[in-house]
Amino acid sequence: MITTAILYLLYYAISLVLSPLLLFSDVVLPPQFTDALTSAGASLGIVSVIAPVGTIAAVIVVFAVVEGFIFGYKIIKWVYTKIPGVN
């Protein structure tokens, strides 16, 4: 029961935040956007012959996660060194 109340509270909070955006009319993307997606799909199809696109995406995600952890470590270390009396 408490979980349901928390989920309803979260739902209504998100609805409140998004309500001004829902007042606008529907948005339509320009046709150049779909042309660009089609072109990108064709290019990825050519690249997929050399190396699978899924593998390339996985490598990029792993690289981003490792870099994120390194950046987080540097931030934590910087905050830790700013505490007086800590060397």
Side-chain angles (χ1 to χ4, degrees):
M1 186 164 149
I2 294 174
T3 306
T4 306
I6 292 172
L7 289 175
Y8 274 125
L9 183 66
L10 182 63
Y11 171 75
Y12 288 125
I14 291 172
S15 295
L16 181 69
V17 169
L18 293 179
S19 63
L21 295 176
L22 298 175
L23 295 175
F24 294 124
S25 62
D26 289 338
V27 177
V28 178
L29 292 173
Q32 292 86 4
F33 186 78
T34 56
D35 293 340
L37 286 179
T38 305
S39 174
S43 299
L44 285 177
I46 294 170
V47 171
S48 184
V49 172
I50 299 170
V53 176
T55 304
I56 294 171
V59 168
I60 291 172
V61 167
V62 168
F63 179 75
V65 167
V66 169
E67 287 295 323
F69 278 121
I70 291 171
F71 185 68
Y73 171 76
K74 287 181 180 181
I75 289 175
I76 291 171
K77 186 177 176 185
W78 180 79
V79 169
Y80 182 73
T81 57
K82 293 297 178 184
I83 298 173
V86 176
N87 291 333

